[in-house]
Amino acid sequence: MRRAIYPGSFDPVTNGHLDIIQRGCKLFDEIIIAVLVNPDKTPFFSVEERCEILSEVLKEIDRGDCRLTVESFQGLLVQYAADRKANAIVRGIRAISDYEYELQMALMNRRLQPALETVFMMPAEAYSYVSSRLVKEVFQLGAPIKGLVPPLVEERMRRKSGS
Ligand code: PNS
């Protein structure tokens, strides 16, 4: 049983995240999409909203035989992964600029939990510049975000911001 954790803020989930999950489904029997509860950040969507949106948009993706679950977590990622008996952490890398931070986290996590592997995956080139941060920024400045996030996310962002 190959079980992976795909951790992140997912504020909001983008088409890039979904692309990574779909690719991960070819490698793992189960992927737990784990939404970080981060009290230091003021998010656009609450953790509950993010989990609910993720569960909804995941219904649309081609998962093959892979089981997908959505959970929130807090505290150390490696501890959470051990609690869930996961073998791997999945992280998406879009560009070299992501690599430095991701490598640091992967090596720190390896130091803390040597048996847990980090698997870096590349999204389709079309999503190589898409981030939750930029999606929120362009949305808040009134620009279209169609094609960057699932339609449900755009709709929920509009509803939330009253636009
Ligand atoms: O989507 P993000 O914000 O880039 O995800 C970052 C995340 C959730 C992977 C990272 O912040 C994390 O693992 N946080 C949990 C706390 C932890 O274990 N920190 C040590 C990481 S080496």
Side-chain angles (χ1 to χ4, degrees):
M1 173 75 179
R2 293 161 305 166
R3 179 181 293 135
I5 307 278
Y6 182 35
S9 303
F10 302 104
D11 186 35
V13 59
T14 67
N15 285 341
H17 292 127
L18 295 180
D19 183 87
I20 294 290
I21 295 169
Q22 207 158 305
R23 289 171 197 279
C25 284
K26 296 186 209 150
L27 301 181
F28 297 101
D29 301 308
E30 179 176 358
I31 302 176
I32 302 174
I33 295 99
V35 181
L36 176 70
V37 178
N38 187 349
D40 300 338
K41 277 193 188 171
T42 310
F44 187 89
F45 288 116
S46 69
V47 171
E48 294 72 25
E49 288 173 319
R50 280 178 268 160
C51 288
E52 189 228 314
I53 291 169
L54 266 162
S55 304
E56 202 54 43
V57 298
L58 285 176
K59 288 181 186 161
E60 305 289 319
I61 81 162
D62 180 10
R63 67 185 67 195
D65 292 329
C66 182
R67 186 178 138 92
L68 293 175
T69 48
V70 179
E71 288 183 356
S72 61
F73 81 105
Q74 46 194 323
L76 261 190
L77 175 61
V78 292
Q79 185 55 54
Y80 170 72
D83 294 345
R84 291 290 176 272
K85 297 188 171 32
N87 325 92
I89 292 170
V90 168
R91 290 288 288 172
I93 291 205
R94 292 159 298 191
I96 289 290
S97 50
D98 285 338
Y99 182 71
E100 207 169 328
Y101 169 61
E102 294 297 334
L103 180 68
Q104 271 185 348
M105 280 207 298
L107 293 180
M108 180 61 81
N109 285 334
R110 181 184 283 169
R111 179 192 161 96
L112 298 170
Q113 187 61 259
L116 186 66
E117 294 296 339
T118 296
V119 176
F120 291 145
M121 302 194 72
M122 290 159 294
E125 304 93 280
Y127 305 125
S128 60
Y129 62 94
V130 179
S131 69
S132 300
R133 185 180 63 81
L134 280 183
V135 164
K136 281 183 285 196
E137 189 171 317
V138 298
F139 172 80
Q140 278 160 348
L141 294 171
I145 54 167
K146 190 169 186 286
L148 305 178
V149 294
L152 175 80
V153 171
E154 185 174 358
E155 184 193 315
R156 294 291 296 264
M157 286 178 81
R158 290 199 186 291
R159 207 194 297 170
K160 182 117 190 159
S161 68
S163 61

